[in-house]
């Protein structure tokens, strides 16, 4: 049998291909960015053809770097930016329009009308999501309503919808039109219980069923087919798995048991808690989502807390305030002071996501006195990442009744030692980081390898997860709760700031 597994990680700003061995060690990778197309305020698009070309190139280059061929790969998995919407023609394979990216807010009128017309309740109940511009359903509706000829083509079965996993699978296999439940659970169109497209939800958005892909288990030996011999792999390799990026990271962190959670700290934060084989409805502003489904097994669900601004608040210190020259310097600056000196920063630059979902909030730095310096602001920025995480953890504990005993972390911000120590202090639980930080690609590789028997079972993977670093809480209970109470007061100050129409 082949000795390696590959993973395509199609992200928001770039696409990478990575190859892993049986021990979960990285063998090779190559990564290429693609253009962020910003036609007007609030609109974010990608060119699907460019994404496919970049995918081809990263696969070919990685194989060359590693001196491997398709024969060395037991399977390939795909993980992808979620919700981003592509619509293309079944015969020509050409997109009708650019991909509308998850960050794009052009559908705000569609989303707010859903709430006004009382459709929010059924969307929450069936899809586990609040109506929002974030998810694919409204983006598909926008394309059907605004791009000439697409509605008719969709009704005739000529126009196909897919998230970027589906788009890449279509191109890699020469025509498979498939996705997995983790991606489908981000469309507002799939019933979480049946894992099928729901007629009532399709009706709400006016979306013809004929344009939607088949939903296969996330890890499946045959469901996604094999790569084309003439494609970038240069031969047939089973496509064993598809997972949305945050779900893939949850698998990569081996959160296979209910109560296990991972937090990814990037531009924003995404905390996912495995809740087992029953979807848990949130009363506290979290999303209910499919975590993964292995072939022949029940689906496993997650509660998800998405935070819009975390690592990007550090970028703001660099680019807008100019008080640091690079992200890593935020640590040295914050270390110049013992504590936050009373300063709290709520980076609600475009409102607040989980658990507040307040689009009327805007950012604030509060508690300033004459004595404060840049260092306090840097420290308050790192604390804001950790306090926002605590807000989500509190909501998760209330919804699930599960108490977190350790938080597994990954993502760019986890390079910041001080920030991770503050996280343990603010949560009052240890924070643990694995050696292989590329948990997203690794999760897709694991799911693909499990599908074809490269790894026998999830237990097989346990020994691959090795802790790199652990941070233990050091604050007293009083200190922790006093700080958190102040944070909550700071959040209150940011609400009801702008008028939202
Ligand atoms: P994404 O996948 O969302 O692009 P990454 O996981 O690559 O994100 O993380 C990038 C983010 O991490 C950036 O917003 C950057 O500001 C932040 N970051 C990187 N290194 C540090 C650091 N040492 N301290 C604080 N933030 C950091």
């Amino acid at each position: 049998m082949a000795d390696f597994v590959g993973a395509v990680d199609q992200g928001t700003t770039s696409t990478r291909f990575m190859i892993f061995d049986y021990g979960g060690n990285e063998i090779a990778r190559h990564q290429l960015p693609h253009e962020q197309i910003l036609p007007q305020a609030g609109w974010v698009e990608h060119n699907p053809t460019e994404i496919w070309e970049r995918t081809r190139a990263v696969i070919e280059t990685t194989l060359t770097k590693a001196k491997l061929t398709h024969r060395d790969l037991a399977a390939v998995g795909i993980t992808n930016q979620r919700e981003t919407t592509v619509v293309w023609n079944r015969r020509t394979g050409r997109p009708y329009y650019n991909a509308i990216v998850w960050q794009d807010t052009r559908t705000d009128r569609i989303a707010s009308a859903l709430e006004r017309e009382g459709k929010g309740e059924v969307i929450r109940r069936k899809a586990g999501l609040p109506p929002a511009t974030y998810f694919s359903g409204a983006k598909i509706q926008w394309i059907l309503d605004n791009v000439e000829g697409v509605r008719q083509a969709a009704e005739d079965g000529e126009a196909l919808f897919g998230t970027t996993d589906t788009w890449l699978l279509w191109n890699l296999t020469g025509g498979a039109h498939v996705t997995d439940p983790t991606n489908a659970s981000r469309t507002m169109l799939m019933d979480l219980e049946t894992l099928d497209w729901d007629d009532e939800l399709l009706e709400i958005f006016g979306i013809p069923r004929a344009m939607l892909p088949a939903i296969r288990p996330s890890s499946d030996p045959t469901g996604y087919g094999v790569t084309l011999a003439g494609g970038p792999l240069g031969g047939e390799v089973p496509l064993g798995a598809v997972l949305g990026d945050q779900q893939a990271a949850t698998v990569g962190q081996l959160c296979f048991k209910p109560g296990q959670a991972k937090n990814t700290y990037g531009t924003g934060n995404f905390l996912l808690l495995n809740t087992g084989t029953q979807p848990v409805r949130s009363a506290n502003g979290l999303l209910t989502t499919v975590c993964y489904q292995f072939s022949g097994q029940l689906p496993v669900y997650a509660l998800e807390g998405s935070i819009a601004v975390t690592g990007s608040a550090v970028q703001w210190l660099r680019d807008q305030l100019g008080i640091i020259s690079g992200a890593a310097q935020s640590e040295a600056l914050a270390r110049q002071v013992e504590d936050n000196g009373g300063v709290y920063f709520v980076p609600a630059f475009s409102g607040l996501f989980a658990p507040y979902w307040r689009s009327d909030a805007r950012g604030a730095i509060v508690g300033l006195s004459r004595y404060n310096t840049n260092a306090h602001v840097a420290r308050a920025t790192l604390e804001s990442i950790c306090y926002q995480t605590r807000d989500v953890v509190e909501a998760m504990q209330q919804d699930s009744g599960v108490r977190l005993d350790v938080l597994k972390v990954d993502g760019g911000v986890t390079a910041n030692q001080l920030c991770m120590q503050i996280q343990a202090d603010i949560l009052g639980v240890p924070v643990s980081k694995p050696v292989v930080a590329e948990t997203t690609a690794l999760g897709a590789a694991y799911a693909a390898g499990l599908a074809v028997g490269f790894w026998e079972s999830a237990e097989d993977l346990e020994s691959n997860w090795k802790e790199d670093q652990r941070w233990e809480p050091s604050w007293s209970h009083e200190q922790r709760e006093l700080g958190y109470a102040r944070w909550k007061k700071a959040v209150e100050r940011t609400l009801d700031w702008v008028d939202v129409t």
Side-chain angles (χ1 to χ4, degrees):
M1 193 179 198
D3 291 330
F4 306 103
V5 174
V8 176
D9 180 357
Q10 201 300 293
T12 305
T13 57
S14 69
T15 305
R16 70 183 84 174
F17 187 64
M18 295 185 68
I19 298 175
F20 297 95
D21 68 9
Y22 186 79
N25 306 300
E26 177 183 337
I27 299 301
R29 75 163 94 179
H30 193 65
Q31 177 169 349
L32 288 172
H34 55 264
E35 189 188 352
Q36 304 296 308
I37 304 165
L38 310 168
Q40 47 178 288
W43 292 32
V44 187
E45 299 177 358
H46 295 156
N47 177 347
T49 306
E50 183 190 11
I51 285 182
W52 166 234
E53 280 164 8
R54 297 292 174 267
T55 304
R56 289 184 68 101
V58 295
I59 293 173
E60 286 166 0
T61 307
T62 308
L63 285 172
T64 308
K65 276 186 187 171
K67 299 194 175 62
L68 298 176
T69 72
H70 70 275
R71 288 192 192 80
D72 298 301
L73 299 180
V76 168
I78 295 181
T79 179
N80 58 296
Q81 54 169 323
R82 306 173 301 174
E83 300 99 8
T84 296
T85 296
V86 189
V87 179
W88 68 94
N89 181 284
R90 177 193 290 279
R91 275 177 305 114
T92 65
R94 275 207 291 278
Y96 288 97
Y97 192 76
N98 275 338
I100 302 184
V101 179
W102 59 274
Q103 299 148 322
D104 189 296
T105 56
R106 78 184 66 191
T107 55
D108 51 1
R109 286 221 188 92
I110 297 178
S112 50
L114 291 169
E115 209 66 275
R116 235 187 3 260
E117 291 161 11
K119 292 173 181 147
E121 196 277 324
V122 62
I123 297 173
R124 280 190 186 82
R125 179 164 46 82
K126 288 189 165 175
L129 306 171
T133 60
Y134 185 13
F135 309 110
S136 316
K139 299 182 198 291
I140 306 173
Q141 184 183 337
W142 189 94
I143 292 177
L144 291 170
D145 289 346
N146 291 281
V147 183
E148 175 109 27
V150 179
R151 182 169 294 282
Q152 188 59 50
E155 275 159 13
D156 297 343
E158 286 280 292
L160 303 180
F161 154 75
T163 33
T164 62
D165 54 316
T166 303
W167 168 244
L168 293 185
L169 283 164
W170 167 273
N171 284 291
L172 283 166
T173 60
H177 189 221
V178 282
T179 191
D180 93 301
T182 68
N183 278 291
S185 73
R186 316 295 294 192
T187 58
M188 298 196 281
L189 305 175
M190 188 189 80
D191 183 326
L192 280 175
E193 309 272 350
T194 64
L195 300 192
D196 193 8
W197 307 114
D198 180 83
D199 287 327
E200 189 179 2
L201 296 174
L202 294 181
E203 169 96 33
I204 288 174
F205 293 93
I207 294 173
R209 196 180 254 266
M211 72 188 300
L212 301 176
I215 304 173
R216 307 270 194 245
S218 318
S219 170
D220 190 324
T222 55
Y224 300 108
V226 296
T227 56
L228 279 179
L233 272 304
E236 291 191 354
V237 181
L239 287 154
V242 172
L243 284 161
D245 52 10
Q246 298 305 325
Q247 285 90 340
T250 311
V251 170
Q253 288 270 26
L254 304 184
C255 295
F256 291 128
K257 296 199 186 88
Q260 293 184 323
K262 70 87 205 176
N263 198 17
T264 300
Y265 296 72
T267 313
N269 268 27
F270 296 89
L271 206 163
L272 270 76
L273 171 76
N274 180 327
T275 60
T277 53
Q278 290 299 320
V280 174
R281 308 296 162 162
S282 178
N284 295 288
L286 305 174
L287 310 177
T288 308
T289 202
V290 177
C291 193
Y292 54 85
Q293 184 192 18
F294 291 154
S295 147
Q297 296 180 25
L298 289 173
V300 170
Y301 296 89
L303 277 170
E304 173 174 324
S306 328
I307 306 170
V309 177
T310 57
S312 54
V314 176
Q315 287 171 319
W316 183 76
L317 297 184
R318 183 194 64 194
D319 300 338
Q320 255 44 40
L321 294 195
I323 63 172
I324 53 174
S325 58
Q329 215 196 331
S330 63
E331 177 164 357
L333 183 57
R335 277 193 193 279
Q336 290 177 8
V337 287
E338 285 289 297
D339 56 30
N340 66 14
V343 178
Y344 288 79
F345 173 25
V346 185
F349 293 146
S350 49
L352 288 166
F353 278 16
Y356 304 102
W357 298 101
R358 290 287 295 257
S359 46
D360 60 350
R362 282 300 176 273
I365 299 177
V366 298
L368 290 169
S369 58
R370 179 97 198 258
Y371 142 87
N372 294 125
T373 65
N374 282 348
H376 292 115
V377 173
R379 183 150 183 135
T381 306
L382 300 183
E383 288 191 1
S384 78
I385 297 174
C386 306
Y387 277 123
Q388 292 187 94
T389 298
R390 168 133 182 210
D391 281 338
V392 167
V393 168
E394 295 282 332
M396 274 188 181
Q397 292 185 158
Q398 278 170 28
D399 279 337
S400 67
V402 178
R403 289 210 74 76
L404 199 67
D405 52 7
V406 58
L407 185 68
K408 290 179 167 182
V409 301
D410 50 64
V413 180
T414 64
N416 192 309
Q417 301 291 317
L418 178 63
C419 189
M420 292 300 104
Q421 181 57 51
I422 293 172
Q423 184 67 85
D425 291 337
I426 283 176
L427 280 180
V429 300
V431 168
S432 170
K433 182 180 171 180
V435 172
V436 179
E438 295 292 344
T439 54
T440 305
L442 184 61
Y446 280 163
L450 285 167
V452 298
F454 182 80
W455 290 286
E456 289 281 309
S457 65
E459 289 75 52
D460 250 14
L461 302 171
E462 290 294 337
S463 60
N464 288 0
W465 196 95
K466 294 190 189 70
E467 186 170 84
D468 180 31
Q469 275 190 289
R470 173 177 280 247
W471 295 269
E472 297 287 343
S474 67
W475 287 1
S476 69
H477 178 75
E478 291 68 39
Q479 192 179 4
R480 178 174 308 124
E481 294 317 308
L482 186 66
Y484 191 50
R486 291 247 166 79
W487 163 258
K488 299 289 266 187
K489 269 169 87 170
V491 169
E492 269 170 39
R493 302 290 188 273
T494 70
L495 304 178
D496 191 20
W497 191 258
V498 290
D499 299 323
V500 182
T501 49

